[in-house]
Each structure stands twice: as C-alpha cells, then as structure tokens.
Amino acid sequence: MFDYKEIERTIKDNNLLFQKIENADKEWLIQRLYDTFVVGNPRALWLNFKYVPYSIDCNREDPYWHLLDVIDKNTVLYFIINYWNKDFVIYKARMSDIHVFIGDCEGLDEFYLMTLDFMELYSITDHDDLLHIDVRKNKKVSD
C-alpha cells in the first residue's frame, strides 16, 4: 500500500541519500513547478502542462526501465511524488538513488523529476507514459 510509511520504508531500507524538502522551501518549489510547467490546478499535473511534452518511446515497457537511458545517474533532481492528488512529497537526490526508490516503492503511481535550474521536467504518469519538457525547446501549448 502506497503511503507515507512506504515512502519512509523505501528510503530507509535502501539507505538512500534523499534530502527531504519541507515547509517554506517545499511551498516555494511547488509554486515554481506550477509557474514553470502547469496551467491551473489539474488533478494530475500532466493533464495541463504549459508545454507540449515530448513522449519518450519505451517500447511498451515500464518507463522505469528506461529512466537511466534518458537521465544520467549522477544528475541531481527534485523528485516530486504526487501523493494521492492531495499533497506532494519532495526530495532532492541523485538519479541513481531515485531509480532505486522507484524500483522498490510499492504502489508509486505518478511522479515528476525536475532539474535544479527548473528548465526540464520528466514525468511518469499513472498511464505509464514517460514525458519530457525542456522549456528551452518544447513548444508552448498556447502557441
């Protein structure tokens, strides 16, 4: 069952180096995420992106297996877990640790990976789509 305890268990059991983002820093990051990538307040962020996302072909396989092909394992990202469309749980971590987490966390359904400079966003949706936005390259939805 996916819940806060499962998130904590996964981090602890795998000795992951995750920096939890909380309080004012969390609120600021969520605001940056929305300001940069999302229009309005959709149930799932990917339903209303400001940019047309590039869909990464995963050959009908779980996108998890392709993440390290797309994102270097040493890249540090904000790992944003959409918690039942009610809350976000945010960590700052290396892609290699995030990948271990995703592989072990039971019930993880939808999450976002945002670069530290807020220029790129990756998403695995609850439909197992792997989406990518680079604000320097992707076309705005309104264009």
Side-chain angles (χ1 to χ4, degrees):
M1 173 80 180
F2 179 70
D3 59 14
Y4 292 113
K5 288 182 182 175
E6 175 62 9
I7 293 170
E8 292 168 11
R9 181 214 55 86
T10 305
I11 293 168
K12 183 180 177 198
D13 286 0
N14 292 288
N15 297 312
L16 300 175
L17 298 174
F18 275 29
Q19 176 189 347
K20 190 167 188 177
I21 308 296
E22 298 180 284
N23 304 317
D25 291 336
K26 175 182 170 182
E27 294 307 314
W28 181 79
L29 276 172
I30 291 169
Q31 191 61 54
R32 283 295 305 259
L33 171 69
Y34 276 82
D35 289 347
T36 306
F37 297 103
V38 183
V39 175
N41 191 19
R43 176 191 59 78
L45 302 184
W46 60 268
L47 291 172
N48 213 15
F49 280 143
K50 289 183 180 182
Y51 296 86
V52 178
Y54 173 70
S55 182
I56 298 170
D57 183 8
C58 296
N59 299 317
R60 297 183 182 205
E61 299 171 335
D62 186 331
Y64 165 79
W65 299 109
H66 297 272
L67 279 174
L68 293 179
D69 297 333
V70 176
I71 305 170
D72 183 89
K73 68 180 182 172
N74 293 312
T75 302
V76 176
L77 300 156
Y78 292 113
F79 178 39
I80 304 165
I81 301 168
N82 188 347
Y83 189 83
W84 299 107
N85 302 319
K86 294 187 268 185
D87 186 19
F88 291 101
V89 179
I90 304 176
Y91 295 97
K92 184 177 176 182
R94 285 195 190 289
M95 185 62 221
S96 56
D97 284 342
I98 295 169
H99 194 257
V100 170
F101 179 95
I102 296 165
D104 187 41
C105 187
E106 188 67 34
L108 182 63
D109 199 24
E110 177 182 320
F111 60 88
Y112 302 88
L113 302 166
M114 184 168 60
T115 57
L116 301 183
D117 64 2
F118 309 105
M119 291 287 117
E120 294 181 70
L121 183 74
Y122 295 88
S123 171
I124 290 187
T125 72
D126 56 347
H127 294 272
D128 284 337
D129 294 316
L130 176 54
L131 306 176
H132 176 242
I133 294 172
D134 183 329
V135 299
R136 298 160 295 203
K137 298 177 183 176
N138 290 63
K139 180 181 173 187
K140 279 201 164 189
V141 171
S142 60
D143 290 350

